[in-house]
Amino acid sequence: MAKTVRIGLIGLGRIGRLHGNNLVASVRGAEVTAAADIVMNDEIRDWVSCLGIKKIYDDPVKLIQDSDVDAVFICSSTASHAELILEASKAGKHIFCEKPIHTDAGVIKHALSSVKASGVKLQVGFVRRFDHNHKKVHDTVASGAMGHPHIVKVTSRDPEPQPIEYVATSGGIFMDMTIHDFDMARYLSGSEVSEVAAYGTIMIDPGLKKYDDVDTAIIMLKFENGAIGVIENSRAARYGYDQRVEVHCDKGCVQDFNDRINTSMISTADGVFCEKPTWFFLERYNDAFIAEAQSFVDAIINDRDPEVSGLDGLMPVYIAIAAKKSLQENRPVKISEVVV
Amino acid sequence: MAKTVRIGLIGLGRIGRLHGNNLVASVRGAEVTAAADIVMNDEIRDWVSCLGIKKIYDDPVKLIQDSDVDAVFICSSTASHAELILEASKAGKHIFCEKPIHTDAGVIKHALSSVKASGVKLQVGFVRRFDHNHKKVHDTVASGAMGHPHIVKVTSRDPEPQPIEYVATSGGIFMDMTIHDFDMARYLSGSEVSEVAAYGTIMIDPGLKKYDDVDTAIIMLKFENGAIGVIENSRAARYGYDQRVEVHCDKGCVQDFNDRINTSMISTADGVFCEKPTWFFLERYNDAFIAEAQSFVDAIINDRDPEVSGLDGLMPVYIAIAAKKSLQENRPVKISEVVV
Amino acid sequence: MAKTVRIGLIGLGRIGRLHGNNLVASVRGAEVTAAADIVMNDEIRDWVSCLGIKKIYDDPVKLIQDSDVDAVFICSSTASHAELILEASKAGKHIFCEKPIHTDAGVIKHALSSVKASGVKLQVGFVRRFDHNHKKVHDTVASGAMGHPHIVKVTSRDPEPQPIEYVATSGGIFMDMTIHDFDMARYLSGSEVSEVAAYGTIMIDPGLKKYDDVDTAIIMLKFENGAIGVIENSRAARYGYDQRVEVHCDKGCVQDFNDRINTSMISTADGVFCEKPTWFFLERYNDAFIAEAQSFVDAIINDRDPEVSGLDGLMPVYIAIAAKKSLQENRPVKISEVVV
Amino acid sequence: MAKTVRIGLIGLGRIGRLHGNNLVASVRGAEVTAAADIVMNDEIRDWVSCLGIKKIYDDPVKLIQDSDVDAVFICSSTASHAELILEASKAGKHIFCEKPIHTDAGVIKHALSSVKASGVKLQVGFVRRFDHNHKKVHDTVASGAMGHPHIVKVTSRDPEPQPIEYVATSGGIFMDMTIHDFDMARYLSGSEVSEVAAYGTIMIDPGLKKYDDVDTAIIMLKFENGAIGVIENSRAARYGYDQRVEVHCDKGCVQDFNDRINTSMISTADGVFCEKPTWFFLERYNDAFIAEAQSFVDAIINDRDPEVSGLDGLMPVYIAIAAKKSLQENRPVKISEVVV
């Protein structure tokens, strides 16, 4: 393998362009040689041209088959992920795929089989594993310096609710939002989740009722290593993106706090005023997106396993399905109940 | 009623002496006129004499009947609380009673009936309501300035496990430790708990198994006002007493952090070192114990309802019973299931 | 010497009563046997009676001569300190004296000679040495773990200006306010100050001009051990009492921060709101006053040198005099220039 | 003026490449059309080629005269700055010049005259004005919401001393390091400095003695608006780059804190461990370098005054000269004494 990985970018919406910009400007060893989107317009063409990407396709499959492409970034709609993974693995191209691979676990398993058979590398886009704060918590726990983990806590709140149309097709809060936290729970505990119990409530948008969804949720988890955990979600933290994790262990507690817009502190007779957390995932996880792409490119160049595997893409989907079942049936649900 | 409340102190162990010292040194309008304990020795006699308490009894009932006593502080063993409440209410003496009133809800109800019939005031010792940090969180939420509460979170960890003999008779973690957090959940949410679901695990002392108890627990709560909550407990936070609460609301989040031993920060090539939280409840809640006793004394002097009522003493016991049932049966349990 | 030190309290204003309350309620080994003030009224008599102090004098000298008094707390007006020290040392009574001993260094030296000749113990009331935060900074530096100190910084701001009449007789900002910071600089650096250079300005009350005083000041210091330092003062920090110290050393920096009223944090769309520092020295240094009195009583009981000596009372006065001279003449002034 | 500013980069060392990378990857409206360095080697050629810069010169004057260059970034050695400013202004090219323009105020004045006569825009590289933290402090004070500033404080410490050869030619600590802080003092106070008084000491490297320099310094400042200030410097803060500012005003205090590597907090029986500040100016001021370049490009495109003017380049040099004089003569020095 040459020192440079030639990348084809599939899906040129917000997240696709984010990856494109990072690959061009900040990722060593990467070259974006082609871009594809099934929708094509002047704005997209301008962006592609500005970035110096030479080839542009309106058919992702053609991009996959381009011999100037070693690896693809699949950033298209969730529904298309699995099929594009099949195409890419058939073509022998390495795959970075945004999360979730699919909302149906059977479809994911089929795609993973194809990846395995082909021998290409697959990394799933759980970007938070590359966040400087969460990674330090993980690394400290994983080092063993704190002893065994007892309790894993994830606080994860969006600043504003998604449009209700989004929820209608996203698979619901556990599949579109908590899925990141399920991944974080596995990442921090170093263990598989064996059971979940979910409580949920609608505190923000009553319109969710007809989609059988909630906007405020707490999910307890049992891990196979004996630890327990809890995730807490809200669709509306008006002060910004609230992303904190905490692992309580034999020897103490490891936790992180939000990044803030700046470190200013204003003290007056009215109180002490500090800055809010960064507004949303683009601000908070900006550097993490770069680190994630770098890790994928390095895995190809050095021929090692990607840091986030296909299994890491599958397991959170099982947990999300179990959480939804738990909420609907108001009982703890074992992951084994929903594994296909 | 005179400007001074004459108090009889029942139970002269650690917590009884703590209240005695505070009443003498720091509570306005209080005078400790008598003290009683069924065990009597030189150490206790010295302490009583040193504090200038004039009368000493080895029979709490005699203290209750002393005409120089307007109100009693019941700080004896939990098993004796209910009976002493009955005696005091019969004698027309106001009652401050350490928590829990009893571990059996029926016994509590009987005691509360007696209090109600007699018209004396009863305050239960949920001291954390008087903590400067938790109180500010409560007051902010209760003011309505943040809108409706969505999520109530309580982190509550002891620095070191209690001796296993303690657990054998305490009623278990939910009754001896989480009961404070159940009270905090009611206090912060401004609502009754309608259902709980508990996960628990033994991570610290395997010896707990034979007592059917756990040392690490997470409990989800549903509130009648639609909010949800979560309490998280550990018997062993090696860094100190970890007591934090958080309420996420319509307009944002209100939370508090631990008091620390001091505010020093040492920055070296090895990292930045700060001080640990205060070690245990005596340090953390020292001022809260004074505020609690002051509140009781003021309630008597000004003839108003105590800030922590008999119902506040009863409800957390129901929640603890439901939590234990939930843990044993691995299912959510409605509070209505356990109400007697 | 018996296990109990019998103390006579001289001066029953705010600071005298503060010490009285602490000695009665919180200091082990102390008994307040007498109290004196040249002004006597019902409020004072009530306070004395309430605290159970048996003897009351309107002549401090008589209190000093009372055979039931082992040690005196001199809390009367600054002008009377030196004379009372003379009387007490003549009578062989140990002395705790509030700061400053006097504003005239010659008078202080005379008083210290008398103390030395008599062999009684003298402790000067630089209470900040007993603050939990500052003490930790001091102890860390003094341990040698950080290497040599390079820079000593003291931030010291009062919440509100004193009444202008106070300044008229106080000796000015360096003598009534910065004197604490001069002591802190010596305490933290472990070295004597050899030279100062002061800048000052009137930003708050133009009325100060006629008293030749300032309300905002910065003073640089040279220490005999080669380090340098800076003190910064304001008479008006509207957010509370701002008291922070910092020592930069070979191996890094040791600093502290203000105690806050509570640890609450409120996050909304408008920002993140925290609590202000404690309001004034009574709140911030409450525990330090107790520790200071305890240290004095322990020094007597264990027959060891007090933690704050007569020299510690004298040197800051020299520094204050030099600082004023520096401000007036706009040039650095060596301490040796003002030593008498 | 077209929407794109064509930039020629002069000086391809560390700081030149930093600007080059930012201009290519992150600054809107900028195109780097040429690069020059008097030293040319393969490493530089590779970097230029990789970035897609088409023209490369070993003579900066030729770059200045290139008709494809609208503006130059002068990132060469300090000694060459003034001459290149003269050349660029003669050629009618806008100028971004790294600080300091020169260490001789007369030379700077001559260069500024030439800029003024030509009408080109000149921005001086005081990058800290664009730091997210310092800028918020400035903006808060400048808004007037806090009232008048009373005290301006700047803490500025490098993690490690520069090589002694650097100091030999840099002009000393006030000219190479504190000059940023003098600019910050002017920026935060909104006022000119009228006088300084400096204390300095050698605590780190005794070898500095022969260069008549110090490694640890405190400088007091008087401002024309009546406020006073203090800057404190160390060449060796072993824990990282320590950059904090604070402005005390009528209504309270505005301050900032260091950015940290991450927000993790590890609590154990040994204490609470947090992350260190970012290591050096490249980490701390990374985004500020982008904002600075963006501001310059925007000033050209929108034909407005640069945010950092030629006067802003001149005044800190006067202050540095006065500070050195103050240190040498151990007396306050008015800026007017050193103005040429």
Side-chain angles (χ1 to χ4, degrees):
Chain A
M1 160 85 29
K3 279 278 166 72
T4 300
V5 179
R6 296 169 306 165
I7 290 169
L9 196 60
I10 300 173
L12 305 174
R14 183 174 62 172
I15 198 76
R17 293 193 213 177
L18 173 74
H19 282 302
N21 285 328
N22 286 341
L23 286 165
V24 168
S26 309
V27 176
R28 292 177 312 277
E31 188 188 349
V32 182
T33 50
D37 202 303
I38 53 173
V39 176
M40 196 51 59
N41 56 38
D42 283 356
E43 189 193 334
I44 289 178
R45 279 183 218 280
D46 280 358
W47 178 84
V48 168
S49 149
C50 227
L51 231 68
I53 302 172
K54 304 230 169 75
K55 299 183 185 175
I56 186 163
Y57 294 97
D58 58 7
D59 178 354
V61 177
K62 289 204 177 124
L63 176 144
I64 288 170
Q65 288 159 353
D66 187 324
S67 63
D68 284 342
V69 165
D70 303 317
V72 293
F73 266 63
I74 301 177
C75 309
S76 48
S77 67
T78 298
S80 67
H81 289 177
E83 198 177 351
L84 291 168
I85 288 176
L86 290 174
E87 291 288 346
S89 56
K90 264 192 286 177
K93 306 300 170 80
H94 301 295
I95 303 158
F96 177 94
C97 182
E98 267 305 320
K99 52 104 291 205
I101 297 178
H102 202 274
T103 58
D104 182 292
V107 174
I108 299 174
K109 287 189 74 170
H110 181 59
L112 297 187
S113 303
S114 169
V115 168
K116 191 166 186 187
S118 73
V120 300
K121 295 181 194 301
L122 167 67
Q123 181 173 325
V124 180
F126 283 120
V127 66
R128 295 183 196 179
R129 292 190 179 211
F130 299 90
D131 173 61
H132 58 154
N133 301 325
H134 301 332
K135 185 168 169 44
K136 171 78 181 190
V137 175
H138 167 269
D139 291 354
T140 304
V141 175
S143 77
M146 304 296 290
H148 294 288
H150 297 187
I151 298 169
V152 174
K153 290 169 70 175
V154 178
T155 298
S156 173
R157 302 176 190 153
D158 280 353
E160 290 186 324
Q162 302 278 3
I164 197 128
E165 307 79 46
Y166 173 80
V167 173
T169 64
S170 75
I173 190 168
F174 297 136
M175 194 61 83
D176 80 52
M177 180 172 170
T178 325
I179 197 156
H180 272 298
D181 308 312
F182 293 135
D183 178 63
M184 193 50 55
R186 293 178 66 246
Y187 175 63
L188 293 175
S189 67
S191 177
E192 291 299 342
V193 172
S194 58
E195 187 185 298
V196 294
Y199 271 15
T201 183
I202 298 176
M203 300 301 290
I204 302 157
D205 186 347
L208 282 172
K209 200 151 202 169
K210 69 172 164 184
Y211 297 105
D212 194 23
D213 200 8
V214 296
D215 49 35
T216 304
I218 301 174
I219 308 101
M220 295 194 296
L221 307 106
K222 283 184 187 165
F223 295 98
E224 290 182 356
N225 64 4
I228 53 180
V230 63
I231 294 165
E232 170 251 303
N233 291 133
S234 167
R235 291 274 197 193
R238 305 301 178 178
Y239 50 93
Y241 196 45
D242 193 350
Q243 298 281 309
R244 291 170 280 150
V245 303
E246 185 172 336
V247 186
H248 184 66
C249 302
D250 283 341
K251 297 188 184 169
C253 179
V254 191
Q255 62 194 120
D256 65 18
F257 297 88
N258 291 308
D259 286 336
R260 296 198 177 177
I261 296 169
N262 60 57
T263 63
S264 66
M265 186 169 100
I266 304 173
S267 302
T268 75
D270 295 328
V272 174
F273 304 83
C274 296
E275 199 60 82
K276 289 183 289 185
T278 49
W279 179 245
F280 204 12
F281 74 94
L282 293 177
E283 289 79 24
R284 167 66 184 266
Y285 294 126
N286 188 34
D287 291 342
F289 278 109
I290 295 172
E292 168 186 67
Q294 187 67 63
S295 173
F296 175 65
V297 167
D298 289 349
I300 296 171
I301 290 177
N302 302 314
D303 194 16
R304 60 157 176 73
D305 286 341
E307 288 191 72
V308 192
S309 71
L311 188 71
D312 293 328
L314 175 61
M315 294 311 297
V317 172
Y318 283 137
I319 306 174
I321 292 166
K324 181 146 200 184
K325 196 177 183 68
S326 171
L327 184 65
Q328 288 170 330
E329 303 179 7
N330 196 27
R331 64 172 183 91
V333 172
K334 290 199 192 312
I335 304 306
S336 57
E337 286 187 52
V338 300
V339 165
V340 292
Chain B
M1 160 82 33
K3 279 280 167 72
T4 299
V5 178
R6 296 169 306 167
I7 291 170
L9 195 60
I10 299 173
L12 304 176
R14 183 173 65 171
I15 198 75
R17 293 190 213 177
L18 173 74
H19 281 302
N21 286 328
N22 287 341
L23 286 165
V24 168
S26 310
V27 176
R28 291 178 311 278
E31 187 188 350
V32 182
T33 50
D37 202 304
I38 52 173
V39 175
M40 196 51 59
N41 56 37
D42 282 356
E43 188 194 334
I44 290 179
R45 278 183 219 280
D46 279 358
W47 179 84
V48 168
S49 148
C50 228
L51 231 69
I53 302 172
K54 303 228 171 76
K55 297 183 187 175
I56 185 161
Y57 295 97
D58 58 7
D59 179 353
V61 177
K62 288 203 177 127
L63 177 144
I64 288 170
Q65 288 159 352
D66 187 325
S67 63
D68 285 340
V69 165
D70 303 318
V72 293
F73 266 63
I74 301 177
C75 308
S76 48
S77 67
T78 297
S80 67
H81 289 177
E83 197 178 350
L84 292 168
I85 289 176
L86 290 175
E87 291 288 346
S89 55
K90 266 191 283 176
K93 306 299 170 82
H94 301 296
I95 304 158
F96 177 94
C97 183
E98 268 305 320
K99 53 104 289 209
I101 297 177
H102 202 274
T103 57
D104 182 293
V107 173
I108 300 174
K109 288 189 75 172
H110 181 59
L112 297 187
S113 302
S114 171
V115 168
K116 191 166 188 187
S118 73
V120 299
K121 295 181 194 301
L122 167 67
Q123 181 173 324
V124 180
F126 283 121
V127 66
R128 296 183 195 180
R129 292 189 179 211
F130 299 90
D131 174 62
H132 59 152
N133 301 325
H134 301 333
K135 186 169 168 44
K136 172 76 181 190
V137 174
H138 168 270
D139 291 354
T140 304
V141 174
S143 76
M146 304 295 290
H148 293 288
H150 297 186
I151 297 169
V152 174
K153 289 169 70 176
V154 177
T155 299
S156 172
R157 302 177 191 152
D158 280 353
E160 289 186 325
Q162 302 278 4
I164 198 128
E165 308 78 47
Y166 173 80
V167 174
T169 65
S170 75
I173 190 167
F174 298 136
M175 194 61 82
D176 80 52
M177 179 173 169
T178 326
I179 197 156
H180 272 299
D181 308 312
F182 294 135
D183 178 63
M184 194 49 55
R186 293 177 68 245
Y187 174 64
L188 293 175
S189 67
S191 177
E192 292 298 342
V193 173
S194 59
E195 187 185 296
V196 294
Y199 271 15
T201 183
I202 297 176
M203 300 302 290
I204 302 157
D205 185 347
L208 282 172
K209 200 151 202 172
K210 69 172 165 186
Y211 297 104
D212 195 23
D213 200 7
V214 296
D215 50 34
T216 304
I218 301 174
I219 308 103
M220 294 194 296
L221 308 104
K222 284 185 187 165
F223 296 97
E224 290 183 357
N225 65 3
I228 53 179
V230 63
I231 293 166
E232 169 251 301
N233 291 132
S234 167
R235 292 273 197 192
R238 305 300 178 180
Y239 48 94
Y241 196 45
D242 194 350
Q243 299 282 309
R244 291 170 280 149
V245 304
E246 184 171 337
V247 186
H248 185 66
C249 302
D250 285 340
K251 298 190 182 167
C253 180
V254 191
Q255 62 194 120
D256 65 19
F257 297 88
N258 291 308
D259 287 336
R260 296 199 178 176
I261 296 170
N262 61 58
T263 64
S264 66
M265 186 169 99
I266 304 174
S267 302
T268 75
D270 295 328
V272 174
F273 303 83
C274 296
E275 198 60 80
K276 289 183 289 185
T278 48
W279 178 245
F280 205 13
F281 74 95
L282 292 177
E283 289 79 24
R284 168 62 185 267
Y285 294 127
N286 187 35
D287 290 342
F289 278 107
I290 296 172
E292 168 186 65
Q294 187 68 63
S295 173
F296 174 66
V297 168
D298 288 349
I300 296 171
I301 291 177
N302 302 314
D303 193 17
R304 60 157 176 74
D305 285 343
E307 288 192 72
V308 191
S309 71
L311 187 72
D312 293 329
L314 175 62
M315 295 309 299
V317 172
Y318 283 138
I319 306 174
I321 291 167
K324 180 146 200 183
K325 197 177 183 68
S326 171
L327 183 65
Q328 287 169 330
E329 302 180 7
N330 197 26
R331 65 171 182 91
V333 173
K334 288 199 193 311
I335 304 307
S336 58
E337 286 187 54
V338 300
V339 165
V340 292
Chain C
M1 160 82 33
K3 278 282 166 73
T4 299
V5 179
R6 296 168 306 166
I7 291 169
L9 197 60
I10 299 173
L12 304 176
R14 182 174 63 172
I15 198 77
R17 293 191 213 176
L18 173 73
H19 282 301
N21 285 327
N22 287 342
L23 287 166
V24 168
S26 309
V27 176
R28 293 178 310 278
E31 187 188 350
V32 182
T33 51
D37 202 304
I38 52 173
V39 176
M40 196 51 58
N41 57 38
D42 282 357
E43 188 194 334
I44 290 179
R45 278 182 220 282
D46 280 359
W47 179 85
V48 168
S49 148
C50 227
L51 231 68
I53 302 172
K54 303 226 171 77
K55 297 182 187 176
I56 185 162
Y57 294 97
D58 58 6
D59 179 354
V61 177
K62 288 201 179 130
L63 176 144
I64 288 170
Q65 289 160 352
D66 188 325
S67 63
D68 285 341
V69 166
D70 303 318
V72 293
F73 266 63
I74 301 177
C75 308
S76 48
S77 67
T78 297
S80 67
H81 289 177
E83 198 177 350
L84 290 168
I85 289 175
L86 290 175
E87 291 289 346
S89 55
K90 265 192 285 177
K93 306 299 171 80
H94 301 296
I95 304 159
F96 177 95
C97 182
E98 268 305 320
K99 53 103 292 205
I101 298 179
H102 202 274
T103 58
D104 183 292
V107 172
I108 299 174
K109 288 189 73 171
H110 181 58
L112 296 187
S113 302
S114 171
V115 168
K116 191 166 186 187
S118 72
V120 300
K121 295 180 194 302
L122 167 68
Q123 181 173 326
V124 180
F126 283 120
V127 66
R128 296 184 196 178
R129 292 189 179 210
F130 299 90
D131 174 62
H132 58 153
N133 301 325
H134 301 333
K135 187 170 169 42
K136 171 77 179 191
V137 174
H138 167 270
D139 291 354
T140 304
V141 174
S143 77
M146 304 296 289
H148 294 287
H150 297 186
I151 297 169
V152 174
K153 289 169 70 175
V154 177
T155 299
S156 172
R157 301 176 191 154
D158 280 354
E160 289 186 325
Q162 302 278 3
I164 197 128
E165 307 79 45
Y166 173 80
V167 173
T169 65
S170 75
I173 190 168
F174 298 135
M175 194 61 82
D176 80 51
M177 180 172 169
T178 325
I179 197 155
H180 272 298
D181 308 311
F182 294 136
D183 177 63
M184 194 49 56
R186 293 178 68 247
Y187 175 63
L188 293 175
S189 67
S191 176
E192 291 299 341
V193 173
S194 59
E195 187 186 298
V196 295
Y199 271 13
T201 184
I202 297 176
M203 301 301 289
I204 302 157
D205 185 347
L208 283 172
K209 201 152 203 171
K210 69 173 164 184
Y211 297 104
D212 194 23
D213 200 8
V214 296
D215 49 34
T216 305
I218 301 175
I219 308 102
M220 294 193 298
L221 308 105
K222 283 184 188 166
F223 295 97
E224 290 181 357
N225 64 4
I228 53 180
V230 64
I231 294 165
E232 169 251 302
N233 292 133
S234 168
R235 291 274 197 193
R238 304 301 179 181
Y239 48 95
Y241 196 46
D242 193 350
Q243 297 283 308
R244 291 170 278 150
V245 303
E246 183 171 337
V247 186
H248 184 66
C249 302
D250 284 341
K251 298 190 183 167
C253 180
V254 192
Q255 62 194 119
D256 65 19
F257 297 88
N258 291 309
D259 287 335
R260 296 198 178 178
I261 296 169
N262 60 59
T263 64
S264 66
M265 188 169 100
I266 304 173
S267 302
T268 76
D270 295 329
V272 174
F273 304 83
C274 297
E275 198 60 79
K276 289 184 289 185
T278 49
W279 179 245
F280 205 12
F281 75 94
L282 293 177
E283 290 79 24
R284 167 65 185 266
Y285 295 126
N286 188 35
D287 290 342
F289 278 108
I290 295 172
E292 168 186 65
Q294 187 69 62
S295 173
F296 175 65
V297 167
D298 289 348
I300 296 171
I301 290 176
N302 303 314
D303 193 17
R304 61 157 176 74
D305 285 340
E307 288 192 73
V308 192
S309 71
L311 187 72
D312 293 328
L314 175 62
M315 294 311 298
V317 172
Y318 283 138
I319 306 173
I321 291 166
K324 181 146 200 183
K325 196 177 183 70
S326 171
L327 183 65
Q328 286 170 331
E329 303 180 5
N330 197 27
R331 65 172 182 92
V333 173
K334 290 198 191 315
I335 304 306
S336 58
E337 286 187 53
V338 300
V339 165
V340 292
Chain D
M1 160 85 27
K3 279 282 167 71
T4 299
V5 179
R6 297 168 305 166
I7 290 169
L9 195 60
I10 300 173
L12 304 176
R14 183 174 63 172
I15 197 76
R17 294 192 213 176
L18 173 74
H19 282 301
N21 285 328
N22 287 342
L23 286 164
V24 168
S26 309
V27 176
R28 293 176 311 277
E31 187 188 350
V32 182
T33 50
D37 202 304
I38 52 173
V39 176
M40 196 50 59
N41 56 39
D42 282 357
E43 188 193 333
I44 290 179
R45 278 183 220 280
D46 280 358
W47 179 84
V48 168
S49 148
C50 227
L51 232 68
I53 302 171
K54 303 229 170 75
K55 296 183 188 176
I56 185 163
Y57 294 98
D58 59 7
D59 179 354
V61 178
K62 289 204 176 125
L63 176 146
I64 288 170
Q65 288 159 353
D66 187 325
S67 63
D68 285 341
V69 166
D70 302 317
V72 292
F73 266 62
I74 301 177
C75 308
S76 48
S77 67
T78 298
S80 68
H81 289 177
E83 199 179 349
L84 291 168
I85 289 175
L86 290 174
E87 291 288 346
S89 56
K90 266 193 284 179
K93 307 299 171 77
H94 301 296
I95 303 158
F96 177 94
C97 182
E98 267 304 320
K99 53 102 286 203
I101 298 178
H102 202 273
T103 58
D104 182 293
V107 173
I108 300 174
K109 288 189 73 171
H110 181 59
L112 296 187
S113 302
S114 171
V115 168
K116 191 167 186 188
S118 72
V120 300
K121 295 181 194 301
L122 167 66
Q123 181 173 324
V124 180
F126 283 120
V127 66
R128 296 184 195 179
R129 291 189 180 211
F130 299 90
D131 173 63
H132 58 154
N133 300 325
H134 301 332
K135 187 168 168 43
K136 171 76 180 191
V137 174
H138 167 269
D139 291 354
T140 304
V141 174
S143 76
M146 303 295 290
H148 294 288
H150 297 185
I151 298 169
V152 174
K153 289 169 71 174
V154 177
T155 299
S156 172
R157 302 177 191 152
D158 281 353
E160 289 186 326
Q162 302 278 4
I164 197 126
E165 307 78 46
Y166 173 80
V167 174
T169 65
S170 75
I173 191 169
F174 298 135
M175 194 61 81
D176 79 54
M177 179 173 171
T178 325
I179 197 155
H180 272 298
D181 307 311
F182 294 136
D183 177 63
M184 194 49 56
R186 294 177 67 245
Y187 175 64
L188 292 175
S189 68
S191 176
E192 290 299 342
V193 172
S194 59
E195 188 185 297
V196 295
Y199 271 14
T201 184
I202 297 176
M203 300 301 291
I204 302 158
D205 185 347
L208 283 172
K209 200 150 203 172
K210 69 172 165 184
Y211 297 105
D212 195 24
D213 200 7
V214 296
D215 49 35
T216 305
I218 301 174
I219 308 101
M220 295 194 296
L221 308 105
K222 283 184 187 166
F223 295 97
E224 290 182 357
N225 64 3
I228 52 180
V230 63
I231 294 165
E232 170 251 303
N233 291 132
S234 168
R235 291 275 196 193
R238 305 301 179 179
Y239 49 93
Y241 196 46
D242 192 350
Q243 298 282 308
R244 292 170 279 151
V245 303
E246 183 171 339
V247 186
H248 184 65
C249 302
D250 284 342
K251 297 188 183 169
C253 180
V254 192
Q255 62 195 119
D256 65 18
F257 297 88
N258 291 309
D259 287 336
R260 296 199 178 176
I261 296 170
N262 61 57
T263 64
S264 66
M265 188 169 98
I266 303 174
S267 302
T268 75
D270 294 329
V272 174
F273 304 83
C274 297
E275 199 60 81
K276 289 184 289 184
T278 49
W279 179 245
F280 204 13
F281 74 94
L282 293 176
E283 290 79 25
R284 166 64 184 265
Y285 294 127
N286 188 35
D287 290 342
F289 278 107
I290 295 172
E292 168 186 66
Q294 188 66 64
S295 173
F296 175 65
V297 168
D298 289 349
I300 297 171
I301 291 176
N302 303 314
D303 194 17
R304 60 158 175 75
D305 287 340
E307 287 191 74
V308 191
S309 71
L311 188 72
D312 292 329
L314 176 60
M315 294 310 297
V317 171
Y318 282 137
I319 306 173
I321 292 166
K324 180 146 201 185
K325 197 178 183 67
S326 171
L327 183 64
Q328 288 170 328
E329 303 179 7
N330 196 28
R331 64 172 182 91
V333 172
K334 289 198 191 315
I335 305 306
S336 58
E337 285 187 53
V338 301
V339 165
V340 292

